[in-house]
Amino acid sequence: MGRVVVVTSGKGGVGKTTSTAAIGAALAQTGQYVCVVDFDVGLRNLDLILGAERRVVYDFINVANGEAKLAQALIRDKRVDTLYLLAASQTRDKDALSEEGVARVIGELREMFDWIICDSPAGIERGATLAMRHADQAIVVTNPEVSSVRDSDRIIGLLDSKTLMAERGERMEKHLLLTRFDAGRAARGEMLSVDDVLDILSIPLLGIIPESEDVLRASNLGSPVTINSAVSAPARAYQDACRRLAGEIVPMVIPGQKRPFFARLFGRRAA
Amino acid sequence: MTLHARQQQAISFRGRSLLAFVLTPKAPVATWLAEMDAWLDRSPGFFNEKPVMLEISGLTIDAAAYRALIGDLARRNLRVMAVEGAAPEHLADDLPPMVSSGRPASAAALLDQSANQAARPEPRAEARPAALVIDANVRSGQSICHPEGDVTVIGSVASGAEVIAGGSIHIYGALRGRAMAGVSGAPDARIFCRKLHAEFLSIGATYKAAEHMGSLEGRSIHARLDGMKMHIVVLD
């Protein structure tokens, strides 16, 4: 029985799709069967980030409406053979997804995969609530800046009320993934610090992903950063996050706090 | 009034006013009882669970006959709870007590009340807690509304959230949203929080927006009303 994880945020553009692809790929690289599902109907991006945009024949809506079988719609990744994508439709919109259809597809996916990672659209309306409805766990992606933090707080409130787990009276495990973290700007007070964000959101920290050009480069190449530049700082941070998701205890490294070589050599602080 | 220290258990008294049906038996009592029977045939159970009183100032009746009347009424499921205009011989430990401070009320009002009660059986109201305790953070977009009394939050109230209480508001954490105390008119309602970052505070009709909280930002405070002005006092 697979675990369903929703990657959500409230705010748009914080790194949900990037993180879904990176975490999905990192988990699949450990040999587990992973399916990443794009819930952003009408504005799909997950297929682009995975470089699968020219291979989408059937999508989530087709399967949910019974027009295609799940096996016909699943796209296997060419680089990691235990990673599969269920793409969204670009021509329709969120109202085309029915609750029963989604429930049925998620049920089928649970039988086939170890992890089902749902990439939620931004916002708090139907698309976002459908994406979180069947989740067992949530990853709340947040940038360390005020509007993202407030929107994440809102989405945490919804995770505790609009999901099947909440309706059953169970408490969903929620993890904070802090993305686009820039240590220099945080030190100068231009961005919120990790402590500030944790103080407001009060959910356990899954990982801190540093701001990096590697992420943009990977997206444009159609490859998740954990596959494309596996030794880069963001990729290593995503890999640590995956290990924590699986229950391992991995010490948290705040990016940018390691002092550069010369400063350590001469005992000076970096400018 | 909020009691902050628990003293020894005290007996508490409350007042309650009820509307009661007043029956005025007339001589001869037997005839009056027969008419009562006819009425009960047409509306059986009409007096069940309704407060019933007797007015006997206009009735000449001796102690034994009065006791028999009470017994006859009881057999018809009419329990008399009090009597007006009784003479001393009509009062005893096992007879209805005398009352004298009743005010006339319209029988129509009483019938309306009874009709409503018959149509909708009054739900056994569980004692509504006067104070609401929330043992979690209040997230952005959530609104806690408790006009019956105090609200205590063990956690923080996020920006974009609001707490509305009839009484006082106690926040054991940061207040980043809105707090509105004393909405049911209590002038001594207060707002307490550990870290003030509030967007908006109000007690009754008096409010203070964030721009006027200046030097109190981040402090542990206690807000109260003094007439129409809100005083915010630092606690530590």
Side-chain angles (χ1 to χ4, degrees), chain B residues 21-174:
Chain B
F21 282 102
V22 180
L23 296 175
T24 325
K26 294 187 173 35
V29 173
T31 319
W32 182 82
L33 270 175
E35 280 172 15
M36 181 57 69
D37 280 332
W39 165 263
L40 286 171
D41 275 332
R42 284 194 305 272
S43 328
F46 180 75
F47 289 109
N48 289 356
E49 294 184 278
K50 290 188 184 59
V52 175
M53 281 175 52
L54 284 187
E55 220 287 7
I56 57 172
S57 54
L59 182 69
T60 323
I61 188 171
D62 65 52
Y66 174 69
R67 193 179 276 279
L69 171 61
I70 298 289
D72 288 333
L73 290 172
R75 269 185 291 282
R76 289 159 174 77
N77 255 327
L78 253 156
R79 281 172 182 73
V80 179
M81 64 183 250
V83 63
E84 270 187 330
E89 69 257 27
H90 300 135
L91 300 170
D93 283 350
D94 56 343
L95 287 172
M98 175 134 114
V99 293
S100 54
S101 51
R103 278 177 297 138
S106 120
L110 193 52
L111 286 170
D112 267 357
Q113 208 178 64
S114 332
N116 285 343
Q117 282 182 3
R120 196 178 20 89
E122 180 135 326
R124 276 278 118 197
E126 313 105 44
R128 245 124 141 259
L132 178 65
V133 175
I134 295 171
D135 198 350
N137 292 333
V138 179
R139 298 283 178 183
S140 182
Q142 291 177 341
S143 177
I144 309 292
C145 190
H146 186 70
E148 295 91 10
D150 286 10
V151 174
T152 303
V153 178
I154 307 173
S156 295
V157 175
S159 165
E162 58 186 19
V163 180
I164 303 166
S168 294
I169 297 177
H170 312 256
I171 298 171
Y172 291 101

Side-chain angles (χ1 to χ4, degrees), chain A residues 16-264:
Chain A
K16 291 182 293 300
T17 303
T18 306
S19 301
T20 304
I23 291 176
L27 282 171
Q29 281 170 325
T30 65
Q32 300 182 80
Y33 276 85
V34 179
C35 181
V36 292
V37 184
D38 193 351
F39 269 84
D40 201 347
V41 182
L43 288 175
R44 72 170 183 216
N45 283 320
L46 193 52
D47 57 317
L48 285 172
I49 304 297
L50 286 169
E53 71 274 20
R54 282 187 281 198
R55 297 159 60 203
V56 181
V57 178
Y58 291 110
D59 58 56
F60 195 172
I61 301 232
N62 295 139
V63 183
N65 292 350
E67 295 150 9
K69 289 207 186 22
L70 187 54
Q72 294 172 293
L74 287 171
I75 302 167
R76 186 188 218 168
D77 192 88
K78 289 189 169 149
R79 300 153 296 220
V80 183
D81 57 9
T82 51
L83 178 63
Y84 288 77
L85 162 69
L86 181 59
S89 164
Q90 183 68 348
T91 51
R92 306 212 226 173
D93 61 43
K94 294 176 183 47
D95 298 323
L97 267 181
S98 71
E99 274 219 40
E100 311 78 46
V102 171
R104 196 174 32 82
V105 175
I106 299 281
E108 278 184 63
L109 287 169
R110 272 194 210 266
E111 307 280 308
M112 297 166 66
F113 291 94
D114 300 310
W115 293 91
I116 299 110
I117 315 211
C118 301
D119 182 19
S120 174
I124 51 171
E125 281 90 40
R126 193 187 155 80
T129 50
L130 263 181
M132 63 171 69
R133 190 141 178 82
H134 300 274
D136 304 316
Q137 288 174 275
I139 297 177
V140 181
V141 181
T142 309
N143 287 353
E145 59 89 29
V146 291
S147 48
S148 174
V149 171
R150 184 154 78 173
D151 291 359
S152 288
D153 197 68
R154 184 84 169 92
I155 216 82
I156 292 172
L158 289 179
L159 285 166
D160 284 333
S161 58
K162 294 226 173 178
T163 54
L164 285 177
M165 269 190 94
E167 284 173 13
R168 290 195 298 260
E170 294 161 30
R171 205 171 181 85
M172 187 189 289
E173 229 180 286
K174 298 180 267 307
H175 309 272
L176 177 65
L177 186 66
L178 208 51
T179 51
R180 309 195 67 171
F181 183 82
D182 186 327
R185 293 180 68 190
R188 291 192 295 273
E190 292 164 20
M191 279 190 131
L192 291 175
S193 70
V194 178
D195 288 330
D196 288 336
V197 179
L198 285 173
D199 189 33
I200 297 171
L201 294 180
S202 314
I203 54 174
L205 186 60
L206 185 70
I208 306 172
I209 316 294
E211 174 78 75
S212 166
E213 286 171 3
D214 295 298
V215 174
L216 186 59
R217 216 186 338 258
S219 298
N220 281 322
L221 288 173
S223 174
V225 68
T226 41
I227 295 177
N228 192 56
S229 21
V231 293
S232 65
R236 280 181 286 123
Y238 275 122
Q239 280 149 12
D240 284 351
C242 282
R243 288 160 66 196
R244 287 184 201 108
L245 192 63
E248 229 182 284
I249 305 208
V250 182
M252 190 76 60
V253 173
I254 298 189
Q257 299 233 316
K258 203 172 127 185
R259 294 169 66 195
F261 177 72
F262 286 117
R264 278 182 285 139

